[in-house]
Each structure stands twice: as structure tokens, then as C-alpha cells.
């Protein structure tokens, strides 16, 4: 069983796959016990469905300075 299938079987609400070499993120959300791809990209922002008020620019995942700025403004 892959990690993807395992998380789906255990009903983990949200799953992100991060490809650092391509700087792309895929965001999957659990709907009816199956993951649905709701975001795939390297531009724009990504919003968590599992963590309230958590949105960050995709670029912040790959850039430490942007990550620190995004996390400093996060409030749960």
C-alpha cells in the first residue's frame, strides 16, 4: 500500500504532494472516502481545508524567506 492509499484508507482529510525539483504542489482533499485533486501548480496560493485560516503562496514552500513571512502572518 502506498502512502497515498494509506492516508486515504485512514481518512486523512487533506494530503499535499510537494515536488521540490519541479516546485509543484498537488493538493488532495478527501471526499466520500476518496481523494480528489483540487489544486496542482507552482503559482498562486494554496489554502488548506484541514487547517483553519491557513493560506500561503506556493512559492513560500520553496523559499525560506517567503516561508518565514507567510508563517509570521498565520493565525489559527
Amino acid at each position: 500500500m502506498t502512502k497515498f492509499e494509506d492516508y486515504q484508507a485512514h481518512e486523512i482529510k487533506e494530503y499535499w504532494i510537494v515536488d521540490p525539483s519541479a516546485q509543484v504542489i498537488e493538493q488532495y482533499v478527501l471526499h466520500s472516502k476518496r481523494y480528489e485533486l483540487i489544486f496542482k501548480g507552482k503559482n498562486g496560493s494554496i489554502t488548506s481545508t484541514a487547517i483553519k485560516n491557513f493560506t500561503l503562496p506556493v512559492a513560500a514552500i520553496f523559499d525560506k524567506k517567503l516561508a518565514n513571512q507567510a508563517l509570521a502572518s498565520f493565525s489559527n
Side-chain angles (χ1 to χ4, degrees):
M1 179 178 286
T2 66
K3 187 184 299 187
F4 186 92
E5 293 165 331
D6 188 38
Y7 286 3
Q8 183 173 262
H10 287 91
E11 299 184 16
I12 304 301
K13 294 178 185 180
E14 182 176 44
Y15 184 52
W16 293 11
I17 297 175
V18 178
D19 181 343
S21 59
Q23 295 192 347
V24 171
I25 298 175
E26 295 177 13
Q27 179 186 22
Y28 295 86
V29 174
L30 196 64
H31 289 286
S32 302
K33 298 187 179 191
R34 305 286 299 165
Y35 278 131
E36 244 179 63
L37 178 65
I38 64 166
F39 178 86
K40 181 176 182 176
K42 55 172 54 184
N43 299 311
S45 293
I46 187 167
T47 300
S48 175
T49 62
I51 302 171
K52 185 178 178 181
N53 299 323
F54 187 70
T55 298
L56 74 158
V58 170
I61 293 172
F62 306 105
D63 181 297
K64 188 173 183 174
K65 183 178 177 182
L66 292 174
N68 288 336
Q69 291 170 353
L71 292 173
S73 66
F74 172 67
S75 64
N76 189 8

